[in-house]
Amino acid sequence: MEKVVVSIGGSVLIPDSDDAVYIKKLADVLKEMSKEVQIAVVCGGGKIARYYTNTGRELGGTTHQLDMMGIFATRLNAELLRIALSDAAYSIVPHTVDEAVFAFSKGKMVVMGGTEPGHTTDAVAAMVASKIGCKRIVNATSVDAVYSEDPKKNKDAKRFTELSIKELGDIVYEEHDAGRSSVFDPLGVRIAMHDRIDIMIVDGRDLGEIKNAVLGKEIKGTRVISR
C-alpha cells in the first residue's frame, strides 16, 4: 500500500470557526482514503501555539520554553484529530519521529504534532516521510498554492501550478522563527530534495483537494516535483 504524509497547518485545523465540524469531515475523508493509502498526519499549532508563545515571550520565556509550548499546542491539535478518527488511528500521539515510525508499522493511521525545538511540523512531516519511505507529502495550508510573495499582501503575486524542489527552496526563507511565514519549512525542503519526495501544496479547507493530493490525482494547488 502506498504511503503518504499529510502536514496540516494549525490555522487550517483550528481556525476558531466550526472547528469540530471541519475536523469531523476531515477525519471522515482520511478514513475513506486510508482504504487505498496508508496515512500519517502531522498537525501544526496555529492560533493556539501563537497565543502561548506570544504570551510566554511577554513573560520573559526563553526560546526553548516558547518552542516547547508551541510543540505542546501541536500535540493538543493532533489529539483532537485523533479523537475524531477513533479506532482508525493509532492509540496515542507520538512525540518523536521514531515513535511515529513504530506506530506506522502497526498499520493504522498515525496522528502527531511537533517533536523538538527547532523543528517545525513541516520538517517533522518530511522526516517521517523519509523514515517510512514515502514519496509524497501533502501540505494542507492556509493558502491554495505557492506564490512568489504573500498573496494577502500583494495581489499581483505570481501563482505557481508546478515547481521543482530547487525552485521551492529558492522561495522559502532560511531562518527558523524569523517572523516570516513560508509555505514550507526550509529543512523540510532539504529533506525532500535529498530523498526525492514530492510535495503537494493545497488549500487545507478544500477537502476535495486534500483527497486528490493524497491519492496522487490532479490538484488545483502546486505540485512540487523532486525528480
Side-chain angles (χ1 to χ4, degrees), residues 25-38:
K25 289 180 178 177
L26 174 63
D28 288 343
V29 168
L30 290 170
K31 283 190 279 189
E32 179 187 346
M33 292 186 296
S34 68
K35 298 172 185 176
E36 301 181 52
V37 296
Q38 190 178 0

Side-chain angles (χ1 to χ4, degrees), residues 86 99-101 103 112 123 158 163 169 180 193 201 203:
S86 188
E99 287 178 10
V101 172
M112 66 185 298
K158 183 179 178 181
L163 290 169
R180 306 283 299 268
M193 186 182 298
I201 296 170
D203 180 352

Side-chain angles (χ1 to χ4, degrees), residues 83-98:
I83 289 170
L85 287 165
S86 188
D87 292 343
Y90 189 70
S91 58
I92 62 169
V93 171
H95 287 187
T96 69
V97 171
D98 286 342

Side-chain angles (χ1 to χ4, degrees), residues 13 20 84 93 105 143 173 189 219:
L13 194 66
V93 171
S105 72
V143 293
Y173 297 102
V189 171
I219 58 172

Side-chain angles (χ1 to χ4, degrees), residues 22 26 33 138 140 202-204 206-214:
Y22 171 76
L26 174 63
M33 292 186 296
V138 175
V202 298
D203 180 352
D206 187 336
L207 294 176
E209 267 282 84
I210 292 178
K211 184 175 180 179
N212 286 340
V214 168

